[in-house]
Amino acid sequence: MQYQPSVWEALCASPLPLVLYGTGDGADKILSVLSRWGRQPDHIFVSDDFYRGQSFHGRSVTTLSALEAEYPDFLIVPAFGSHLPAIHARIRSLAARHPMLIPDVPVCGEALFDLSFVRAHRDELTAAYALLADEASRTVFRQVVEYKLTGRPEPLFASESPKADVFSSLLPLGPSEHYLDLGAYRGDTLEEFVRAVPEGRYASMTAFEPDPTSFRKLREAWGHCPGVTLYEGAVGRQADTLYLRRRRGRGSLLMPDPPGTPIPVRTVDSLAIPVTYLKMDLEGGEADALLGAADVLAHQKPRLNIACYHRSEDLFRLPLLLHSLQPSYRLFLRRHPCIPCWDLNLYARP
């Protein structure tokens, strides 16, 4: 790829008014990075239907229509995440009308995926790329790297594929699956699994969710279903206690020390249950969960669906770790519709 300015360089160099779209946790992080680069947005706006005359970081929030009435053009910086098709359509429409850059800031951890990060981890990135089993995965990898470095929406949009394609081709599921869902939230991925198996038939479903509010919803929706076991807790590399701290905008974090709600941690290996399909979406805890599942990976070799986007290093760390734990796996990378670069998943089958 020919040199292109990093997203942060491009934001600082733009002669257009810089307008931040959104006021959540993502906006906090983008403002922090921009501040280190010596730049602040000229305006902060929300969609017209969400405008309540609010302020953010002591600054008045405006609307898109007000900005379009004031300026002939401006550079939009979306600062929130969404899976909703209507929001995606809105972002794409805005990108067609105005210049747009979408900075990549990690959900967890502090490391930015910038040029210095790529240079520092070039060998790991190259090794992870070489492990991918098909050209579609390698294309997604290249598009994700280009997006993360430049913030351009084109490679972000181009990297998307429907999640249904996974179950029709990469990981077809049968009627006797033993499903282990780590980070089940309120049961949306349990529902996704049941839709994917023939006639909704399965052998068992086991799900973990550490957040008490989400677990209560999970239990209300799935606690009565046959063959379903639910755990209010977390998984990791060893038995432990972590502390849940609630966050605005992007869920909650499990931390090693108080304050927070104490959450019991178990390992996958300690469950001593059959697993044929294993999904992990653990807000940055995927590497620890894999280490605590080494025996299951070695002896049962379940098909895997692992979130690969919470930390900047996940793009190379998780494929390399999985390969070290079970070299027989074939690894695939897919990104499903979400803005920004979330729903990037590492899939694996023996």
Side-chain angles (χ1 to χ4, degrees):
M1 184 176 68
Q2 291 184 337
Y3 173 77
Q4 301 179 60
S6 76
V7 60
W8 308 106
E9 290 175 302
L11 290 174
C12 291
S14 174
L16 294 172
L18 185 65
V19 298
L20 193 69
Y21 180 15
T23 57
D25 179 62
D28 290 333
K29 292 186 176 184
I30 291 172
L31 285 172
S32 177
V33 178
L34 283 173
S35 179
R36 298 202 298 267
W37 279 80
R39 179 73 194 267
Q40 289 295 311
D42 297 288
H43 297 280
I44 302 170
F45 81 97
V46 294
S47 302
D48 289 24
D49 48 342
F50 284 98
Y51 180 68
R52 303 291 184 273
Q54 61 265 51
S55 62
F56 184 66
H57 283 257
R59 301 178 56 174
S60 296
V61 174
T62 186
T63 64
L64 176 65
S65 57
L67 290 171
E68 290 183 325
E70 182 175 355
Y71 297 106
D73 210 355
F74 41 82
L75 176 58
I76 296 179
V77 182
F80 59 90
S82 178
H83 296 81
L84 297 176
I87 300 298
H88 292 197
R90 180 180 297 170
I91 295 293
R92 288 174 182 266
S93 174
L94 286 174
R97 289 158 51 193
H98 300 285
M100 177 181 289
L101 291 173
I102 309 175
D104 178 73
V105 288
V107 178
C108 302
E110 300 299 324
L112 282 177
F113 199 106
D114 55 16
L115 192 56
S116 63
F117 180 88
V118 169
R119 287 170 175 161
H121 297 286
R122 184 182 303 277
D123 290 346
E124 294 107 314
L125 287 162
T126 301
Y129 180 84
L131 290 175
L132 298 175
D134 66 348
E135 184 56 33
S137 298
R138 292 186 286 271
T139 298
V140 170
F141 191 102
R142 294 192 301 268
Q143 289 166 333
V144 166
V145 170
E146 181 182 359
Y147 156 69
K148 285 175 175 286
L149 288 175
T150 68
R152 295 174 56 246
E154 292 84 2
L156 178 67
F157 298 155
S159 66
E160 293 180 356
S161 63
K163 187 172 287 189
D165 291 354
V166 171
F167 299 115
S168 65
S169 57
L170 290 185
L171 302 181
L173 301 176
S176 301
E177 304 287 349
H178 293 278
Y179 176 40
L180 179 56
D181 189 331
L182 307 181
Y185 188 49
R186 299 180 179 184
D188 52 324
T189 44
L190 294 178
E191 182 178 349
E192 176 184 276
F193 167 76
V194 171
R195 288 198 306 267
V197 296
E199 300 177 358
R201 295 166 56 200
Y202 57 88
S204 70
M205 292 196 292
T206 303
F208 278 75
E209 173 53 47
D211 183 271
T213 301
S214 296
F215 182 80
R216 185 165 56 251
K217 297 290 185 181
L218 175 68
R219 184 173 54 199
E220 290 171 359
W222 294 94
H224 63 282
C225 298
V228 174
T229 303
L230 305 177
Y231 292 94
E232 184 176 3
V235 291
R237 72 170 69 192
Q238 60 190 18
D240 202 348
T241 298
L242 296 177
Y243 297 87
L244 185 77
R245 298 181 193 172
R246 299 183 182 279
R247 297 189 304 169
R248 175 169 56 94
R250 289 186 180 178
S252 303
L253 277 180
L254 288 170
M255 305 298 290
D257 302 303
T261 304
I263 301 294
V265 180
R266 301 179 64 172
T267 68
V268 170
D269 289 338
S270 72
L271 299 176
I273 59 173
V275 184
T276 63
Y277 175 48
L278 170 57
K279 167 253 170 184
M280 296 182 180
D281 191 343
L282 298 172
E283 300 298 321
E286 291 79 13
D288 280 346
L290 282 171
L291 289 167
D295 287 344
V296 166
L297 297 178
H299 298 108
Q300 299 195 49
K301 299 182 180 66
R303 284 151 293 173
L304 302 176
N305 173 352
I306 305 171
C308 196
Y309 63 88
H310 294 105
R311 301 179 184 275
S312 291
E313 59 268 28
D314 283 349
L315 187 60
F316 59 83
R317 182 186 183 193
L318 296 180
L320 294 175
L321 174 60
L322 181 54
H323 181 70
S324 72
L325 293 171
Q326 183 43 263
S328 68
Y329 273 119
R330 301 186 71 211
L331 307 184
F332 304 87
L333 191 68
R334 297 292 188 271
R335 200 185 77 79
H336 309 303
C338 187
I339 296 173
C341 196
W342 301 350
D343 245 6
L344 177 68
N345 294 338
L346 179 66
Y347 295 101
R349 66 175 190 244

